[in-house]
Amino acid sequence: MPLDTKSDIIETIRYFNECSGTWSKNYASGGRMKNRIIEFLSVLQAKLRPGARVLDFACGTGNISSALHQAGYEVTGVDISPLMIERAAKAYKNISFLSLDTGAIPKLPFDNGAFNAVIASSVFEYIPEPEGQFYEINRVLSADGLFLFTVPDPRHAVRRMEAQLIRMIRLLPFLNKILPGGFRKYIDYLRLSNSRGPL
């Protein structure tokens, strides 16, 4: 997840390290991200045979990676959060998980054309200038490779409200210090997840 400055990268790693203990709940039954597994899997199964090589870019705790692996894909997961990778590797021992070298971002440690598909579940909103990462993902994709990713839909009512909150946070940065803990975590998420262009 490339960001503009070293401090932004450190903040993003800190945030996702803190979330790593509960992140899998998002993909559990009734979790708010459960449908992403179904969506990624259904597109991959329509386009690629089992055995295809898939990179799960910013894999978190490996829940999507695991579902793709169970469907017969050869999956590699990468993330900048060492604790996310640690939890993924512990939970899913048959999948290769790698912690990205933040000093090398946006470079990925793979050969040209190494993957038949790359998936990225809600990561590009954390990347202020995603073009460099798109080029790098294109490099590691095979010539007929598939790139699937999700981003926040700015037309959705919740995302419109969040856009207002992001503006307010930028104007009043001290808010983060005076708000209660749970809301402060949400503000951290919004502050880090602010690269939300029009579709």
Side-chain angles (χ1 to χ4, degrees), residues 33-44:
M33 293 188 247
K34 174 79 173 157
N35 284 343
R36 290 188 195 166
I37 293 174
I38 298 162
E39 290 163 3
F40 281 123
L41 190 54
S42 66
V43 174
L44 283 178

Side-chain angles (χ1 to χ4, degrees), residues 110-176:
F110 307 108
D111 292 336
N112 295 351
F115 297 97
N116 304 109
V118 175
I119 64 161
S121 178
S122 286
V123 59
F124 285 93
E125 61 266 32
Y126 299 96
I127 303 174
E129 308 223 5
E131 292 86 356
Q133 197 65 65
F134 286 145
Y135 280 115
E136 181 63 2
I137 285 170
N138 184 61
R139 180 188 68 77
V140 302
L141 273 173
S142 59
D144 58 350
L146 189 63
F147 179 29
L148 307 174
F149 61 97
T150 61
V151 293
D153 182 349
R155 301 167 300 187
H156 191 281
V158 171
R159 302 306 174 219
R160 289 200 308 269
M161 178 269 298
E162 287 178 345
Q164 297 299 322
L165 282 172
I166 288 168
R167 284 198 263 300
M168 190 167 61
I169 293 161
R170 286 183 186 147
L171 290 171
L172 307 168
F174 65 87
L175 280 178
N176 203 31

